Amino acid sequence: MRDTLVLNASFEPLSTVTLNRAVVLVLQDKAVVEQAHPDLRMRGAAVEIPAPRVIRLCRYVRVPFRRQAPWSRRGVLVRDRHRCAYCGGRATTVDHVVPRAQGGRDSWLNTVASCAEDNHRKADRTPEQAGMPLLREPFEPTPADAMLLAMGGRGDLDDLPDWLAVRAAA
Ligand SMILES: [Zn+2]
């Protein structure tokens, strides 16, 4: 996957995101294309735009330069792209890997996105105790995640409309 450079509204480079995510930001009117790939266009039924190599955010975002982004439930859902850590389905809740009842903290490394069903089933148990292995380990958010969080990302920025595809220009 090609990465696209993201500039803040003030033109300072912020981060890189996947091409798909860059296109979604442009389609959501959150960013404009500053520089496009000469030979690639994103084409859909009703729209065709150049595949962005550099985009610039329409609104200035204040990105925390702290080493650690502050923990939040919304942040966990964004980081995990709303995918359940136990079944891979659509996640709407945040599960504590080590439950709070057993001393687990609100932290990036102790929380994962989870569907309501798995969260309920796991209850106050660790994944080992519940026999529910994690599909992936929780991690500190990447700079791109931190940027999307600062923008108020909804967490579904990776979801491209079905009709959109990349094609080489004729
Ligand atoms: Zn699940």
Side-chain angles (χ1 to χ4, degrees):
M1 178 61 76
R2 292 156 201 261
D3 281 342
T4 300
L5 178 65
V6 182
L7 307 178
N8 211 337
S10 55
F11 290 91
E12 4 159 18
L14 279 180
S15 167
T16 59
V17 296
T18 63
L19 180 57
N20 280 3
R21 195 181 284 179
V23 167
V24 172
L25 289 172
V26 171
L27 292 179
Q28 289 177 337
D29 294 323
K30 287 183 174 170
V32 293
V33 178
E34 286 291 336
Q35 196 185 98
H37 287 285
D39 54 345
L40 265 188
R41 296 183 71 80
M42 307 292 285
R43 186 191 192 192
V47 68
E48 184 174 304
I49 66 166
R53 181 147 61 187
V54 181
I55 59 172
R56 184 168 55 88
L57 301 180
C58 297
R59 281 214 221 152
Y60 182 80
V61 297
R62 191 186 289 270
V63 178
F65 286 103
R66 265 171 289 194
R67 198 178 62 79
Q68 272 186 317
W71 181 90
S72 68
R73 286 177 183 274
R74 187 171 66 86
V76 172
L77 291 171
V78 170
R79 180 198 65 184
D80 292 353
R81 314 274 176 250
H82 283 82
R83 296 277 176 264
C84 175
Y86 300 103
C87 72
R90 179 89 182 158
T92 55
T93 68
V94 168
D95 177 63
H96 287 73
V97 177
V98 175
R100 277 181 295 192
Q102 296 189 33
R105 296 285 190 83
D106 285 349
S107 70
W108 292 113
L109 299 182
N110 189 47
T111 49
V112 291
S114 169
C115 67
E117 208 170 277
D118 282 333
N119 203 338
H120 182 74
R121 189 156 64 94
K122 180 170 167 286
D124 282 344
R125 297 176 295 178
T126 65
E128 294 72 30
Q129 290 164 347
M132 295 169 63
L134 288 165
L135 296 180
R136 57 173 184 273
E137 292 298 318
F139 59 93
E140 296 277 346
T142 63
D145 289 325
M147 180 194 73
L148 292 170
L149 278 170
M151 291 174 63
R154 299 202 321 274
D156 51 1
L157 294 170
D158 271 341
D159 297 338
L160 270 184
D162 289 342
W163 45 260
L164 198 62
V166 185
R167 72 169 176 83

